[in-house]
Amino acid sequence: MRLFNLTKTYTGDVPPKATTASYCGVSAFRDACYQLVSAFLITYITFSGLLSSDTKTYLAQMGVISVIIVICRIWDGINDPIMGWIIEKFHFKWGKYKPWIFIGAILNTIVVLTLFLAHPAGDGWGFVVLFGIFYFLWDLAWTINDIAYWSMLPSLTTDEARRNKITSIMQIFISIGVFAVYGAVPLLVGDPKSGADAQKVYGIIAIIVCTLFLISQIVLCLMAKEHVRDEEVEKKEQEDVKFSDMFTLFKKNDQFRVNIVSIFLNYLASGTLVAFAMYYCYLVFGYGADAGGNISFMLTVMYAVSTLVSQVLYPILSKKLNRKQIYTIAAAFIAAGYLMFFFTGFPVFGSIPAIANPILVYIPALLLFFGQGLVSVAIIMQMQSTIEYNELKTGERKEAIVSSMRALVAKWASAVQQGLIYATLGICGLYALTNTISDYENALHNRLNPIEIANLKNAMDSALSGAQNGQLIGLGIGMIVIPLILMLLAIFLSTKVFKIDEKKYAEITAELKNRK
């Protein structure tokens, strides 16, 4: 007896309800696990007392960690299309995608737990070495799962309306997962009522998130069906697929090239704002769950509300407006939100209005996250349409390789983002302030006496409140101005250079059906 739908397939353009539900639903747990590492691992390292208390050594260790992240991300971007090639080349009884999803889930769970639970003794260099090894392994483990998961999406259906719906539903669950992590971490870390140090809190969060992630991936493998594949066509594709396909795809598919650049700019812009968020909240509003942590949580609420609304509305808007019109609306919201955030959340005019009234940063956050939500769905839809475009031009779909390129640029965007963060904080002299938070958390972890902890707390609060206006404006340029420029450039490419609109896509799919 077959176990659930492990080896079953389906035909036609209508995926089974269990397949759609499981595929979309597990994305919440996938992205929760990804964001815990991608968005909070560096925050965990920066503020949790894992590194040296000496400022110069601390800065050197942060520099080494930043270099490791950049190198790993660049390499990870390269091995993404390699994984896409492997998926195209090797298929199993379970299917083309599910075996890799499962393998990646197991490896990812082990590696993430090690990163958050292992605390080598010493002056911080032991952790730097451990980080270098296991961060590289995380890149590899996540790639196996991520490329297989995203490659499965375009194979579910070629009907654009259904694909729009599936993508929108998936993005909603992704937002739920991101919201859960972004909401939990600021409220739980640095909570004076709990008395728990950051290392302990992050460890508990990692155990919960990794467990749910692993269970969700097992559910996907058991419940979802893969689309049936023509054995002769599949055999020919396996024989024809070459390692060089990863590179020739850029040459053959002009619209794919444009879309990849747009995706890169979008990921870099939206990821940079999010990556800076907790630094901003701690440096401007103070450290702890009852200070900057609370502001960070509220910004997460704004993110969740705006992104969910935009992604729920996208299928509705797409019935009344074309994609270019949706991009125009998104650009207006994004520009208004970023500019309002910069002038109210930073001391551009000598003071920070948002300190007295945080709603002045909540409102622009609502606007810019709404616009970014629309852009995220639209760009992914464009990427899916390049698969049919590739089939029309070359006779080959290459879903896995196309999808792997999305992951590639996401990783490279993350590498550039980490470099931007380190450069901004270093140039502005803000790492000296974050080190005071790290010293305080280290005192909590080592159970120093209450007087020593209180002294460190006072020193930390004094240092944070002494941040100069020029330092914070520099932070604002890296966090707000640069992402705004990048996001508008991504929208420009998607509306003025990318040519596969709804009408063109319908012509492509009609021609492909005629050929078949």
Side-chain angles (χ1 to χ4, degrees), residues 284-303:
V284 172
F285 297 98
Y287 179 70
D290 57 345
N294 183 56
I295 303 298
S296 181
F297 171 75
M298 289 305 298
L299 288 175
T300 302
V301 172
M302 302 302 107
Y303 167 81

Side-chain angles (χ1 to χ4, degrees), residues 129-208:
V129 173
L130 179 141
F131 171 83
I133 296 170
F134 279 87
Y135 191 79
F136 173 81
L137 294 176
W138 174 73
D139 275 339
L140 181 62
W142 184 260
T143 293
I144 295 172
N145 177 272
D146 191 50
I147 300 303
Y149 178 80
W150 279 92
S151 299
M152 190 174 173
L153 174 59
S155 72
L156 296 177
T157 179
T158 59
D159 181 87
E160 187 175 29
R162 290 192 179 92
R163 189 180 283 178
N164 269 342
K165 185 176 180 181
I166 291 173
T167 303
S168 297
I169 294 173
M170 182 179 66
Q171 290 291 336
I172 290 170
F173 278 100
I174 287 174
S175 298
I176 292 173
V178 173
F179 167 69
V181 171
Y182 273 75
V185 172
L187 288 183
L188 296 176
V189 175
D191 183 3
K193 296 178 183 178
S194 71
D197 61 274
Q199 292 182 32
K200 182 177 180 180
V201 175
Y202 273 107
I204 294 172
I205 293 173
I207 292 172
I208 295 172

Side-chain angles (χ1 to χ4, degrees), residues 30 33-34 72 88 95 142 153 183 217 248 304 309 347 358 385 388 445 514:
R30 285 186 74 260
C33 191
Y34 177 78
C72 285
E88 294 286 1
W142 184 260
L153 174 59
Q217 299 305 281
T248 57
V309 169
S385 66
E388 280 74 34
H445 181 70
N514 288 335

Side-chain angles (χ1 to χ4, degrees), residues 11 73-74 95 139 245 247 304 323 339 343 407 410 434 462 512:
T11 59
R73 287 297 184 164
I74 292 173
D139 275 339
D245 288 344
F247 309 102
R323 196 177 298 139
L339 292 174
F343 287 109
T434 66
S462 176
L512 290 174

